[in-house]
Amino acid sequence: MTTPAGIDPRGPRFAATITAVLLLAATFLGLIGISTARSFGTSSDTWAIVAASPGQRALDPAFLLTVVIALLFVWSVVSPATAPWGVVFRRFVRPRLAPPTELEDPRPPRFAQGVGLFVVTIGVVLHLVGVPWALPIATAAAFIAAFLNAAFSFCLGCQIYLLLQRAGVLGRAPSAA
């Protein structure tokens, strides 16, 4: 199996920075929105989640922003060459930088986008069915991964890809026995 042409490793880090900002906003909105809204219980001194209809949950700003983020993840997985953050990086940022010292295999970052998509999709689905705190927990988890990539160049999804590759699950053609 041949390795695809390399990509500038600063591109995924740039995309992770923008994604982290969006996920932080979604997490904040989720913490103050419907998914964590509470009312004081009448029969006991505990907090109870306010029941919201699926329509109300679908109009929650955190939900709407998370859907946009999920669609951006889908775009990055399906067509990374046309994904918005990659286009912005290639057109406006990369021309102002020195050439990269080395190129990176595009498969791990693409897999990482799929992991991000999986995490936020779980949050979106659980939010729609009324699971309290699901949306802000999912966006916070995705934020942590995006922040690690943006701030420290540590791609958690890429590390998962490499682990699965070493285990023979991904990225390698079966060896002839």
Side-chain angles (χ1 to χ4, degrees):
M1 183 174 218
T2 61
T3 302
I7 59 170
D8 186 337
R10 298 169 296 185
R13 192 170 182 186
F14 174 79
T17 302
I18 297 170
T19 303
V21 171
L22 292 174
L23 286 164
L24 184 61
T27 301
F28 174 75
L29 290 171
L31 290 173
I32 64 170
I34 290 173
S35 66
T36 57
R38 300 172 227 193
S39 66
F40 199 73
T42 54
S43 61
S44 67
D45 290 345
T46 60
W47 292 92
I49 299 299
V50 175
S53 72
Q56 289 172 314
R57 288 191 292 272
L59 293 176
D60 182 13
F63 172 80
L64 295 173
L65 179 55
T66 306
V67 167
V68 169
I69 294 166
L71 292 172
L72 288 167
F73 277 133
V74 168
W75 194 344
S76 294
V77 170
V78 173
S79 180
T82 64
W85 311 142
V87 170
V88 169
F89 177 78
R90 283 190 307 279
R91 274 205 194 135
F92 302 109
V93 178
R94 188 171 179 186
R96 290 169 172 70
L97 301 173
T101 56
E102 59 185 36
L103 298 178
E104 176 178 74
D105 181 354
R107 294 174 296 184
R110 190 173 189 179
F111 179 83
Q113 292 293 308
V115 172
L117 172 61
F118 178 76
V119 170
V120 297
T121 300
I122 294 296
V124 163
V125 170
L126 291 177
H127 174 77
L128 279 179
V129 298
V131 176
W133 295 88
L135 194 63
I137 289 171
T139 57
F143 165 76
I144 290 168
F147 177 79
L148 286 172
N149 193 358
F152 304 110
S153 196
F154 180 80
C155 177
L156 192 58
C158 298
Q159 296 302 315
I160 293 169
Y161 178 89
L162 295 173
L163 188 81
L164 292 172
Q165 187 182 41
R166 276 186 228 118
V169 177
L170 290 176
R172 289 187 181 163
S175 59

